[in-house]
Amino acid sequence: MLGTSKDNGGRHPLYKGVRQRKNSNKWVSEIREPRKPNRIWLGTFSTPEMAAIAYDVAALALKGSQAELNFPNSVSSLPAPTSMSPGDIQAAAASAAAAFGAARDAIVMANNNSETSGVACMNGSYDDTNMNGFMDEDLVFDMPNVLMNMAEGMLLSPPRPPAFDAAYDADGFTGADDYLWNFP
C-alpha cells in the first residue's frame, strides 16, 4: 500500500474522496461541488470501499462522464440521484453504499456457510446450495420492495377515453391504442 491513512492526514491511499475518522475505524466520504466552495457530506461508513462507492455516485452526478472514479467498471450498476440537490445526491450515495454493504455481508455469510458445509461434506452429506458462489439476491436488490413497486405499476388503470375527439371517425377507430384497451 502507498502509506497508512495516519501518514497522509487520514485520506485513504487508494480511494478518492475517502478519509478515516480520527481515533476510529470508520470511514467518511465527502465531495466538493464543482465551481463552488461547498462540500456535500456523503456519510460515515464501516469500510473504505463503501465510502468510495458513495463518492463515485456523487462524482457521477456532479461531474458526469468527466469524473475520476474509484470503481470505473461499476458505473452501470450505480444508482442515479433523482435531482441535483445535495439531499438527493446523499440519498443515492447512501443507497449504493448500503447495497455494497449488503452484498459484502451476503458473501461473508455464504463463505461462512460453505465452511460449515465442508464439515458436512466430510461426514458424507454434501449440499450443493452452500457453495462459494451463493449470494442472497433478495437481500442485495431489496426484492420485496421491487416486487411491490411492480405490482403497484400493474394496478394502474388504463387511460380514460376523451369526451370528444375530433379524430374519431365514423368507423369508431381512434388510433393505434384503440385495440390495446378494447381487447375482447
Side-chain angles (χ1 to χ4, degrees):
M1 223 182 255
L2 301 174
T4 65
S5 60
K6 305 290 186 212
D7 295 339
N8 56 15
R11 284 183 277 155
H12 195 277
L14 297 176
Y15 300 128
K16 186 171 175 54
V18 175
R19 63 180 169 83
Q20 190 172 18
R21 283 195 126 167
K22 294 178 184 175
N23 303 322
S24 175
N25 288 334
K26 300 288 184 176
W27 296 87
V28 298
S29 182
E30 60 187 353
I31 189 169
R32 185 178 301 275
E33 293 183 69
R35 296 175 298 282
K36 292 183 182 177
N38 304 341
R39 290 182 181 265
I40 297 176
W41 179 258
L42 301 174
T44 303
F45 305 96
S46 58
T47 67
E49 292 81 12
M50 290 173 70
I53 286 175
Y55 175 86
D56 283 358
V57 169
L60 275 173
L62 294 172
K63 300 173 184 173
S65 61
Q66 304 300 325
E68 292 181 35
L69 302 177
N70 296 308
F71 302 105
N73 293 336
S74 64
V75 169
S76 62
S77 64
L78 297 176
T82 55
S83 74
M84 294 299 290
S85 73
D88 287 342
I89 291 173
Q90 288 171 334
S95 171
F100 176 83
R104 185 199 62 215
D105 293 345
I107 290 170
V108 168
M109 285 178 22
N111 287 339
N112 289 342
N113 288 343
S114 69
E115 290 172 7
T116 59
S117 71
V119 171
C121 184
M122 296 297 232
N123 296 336
S125 61
Y126 181 72
D127 185 10
D128 259 353
T129 59
N130 287 331
M131 296 182 68
N132 283 341
F134 174 77
M135 184 184 334
D136 188 1
E137 292 176 354
D138 289 346
L139 178 65
V140 174
F141 296 112
D142 194 20
M143 288 305 284
N145 288 335
V146 169
L147 295 175
M148 287 300 295
N149 291 340
M150 288 174 60
E152 287 174 6
M154 296 294 288
L155 295 175
L156 293 176
S157 61
R160 297 181 188 266
F164 175 74
D165 188 4
Y168 191 79
D169 64 28
D171 295 334
F173 181 73
T174 59
D177 288 343
D178 190 40
Y179 293 115
L180 177 63
W181 301 110
N182 293 326
F183 190 76

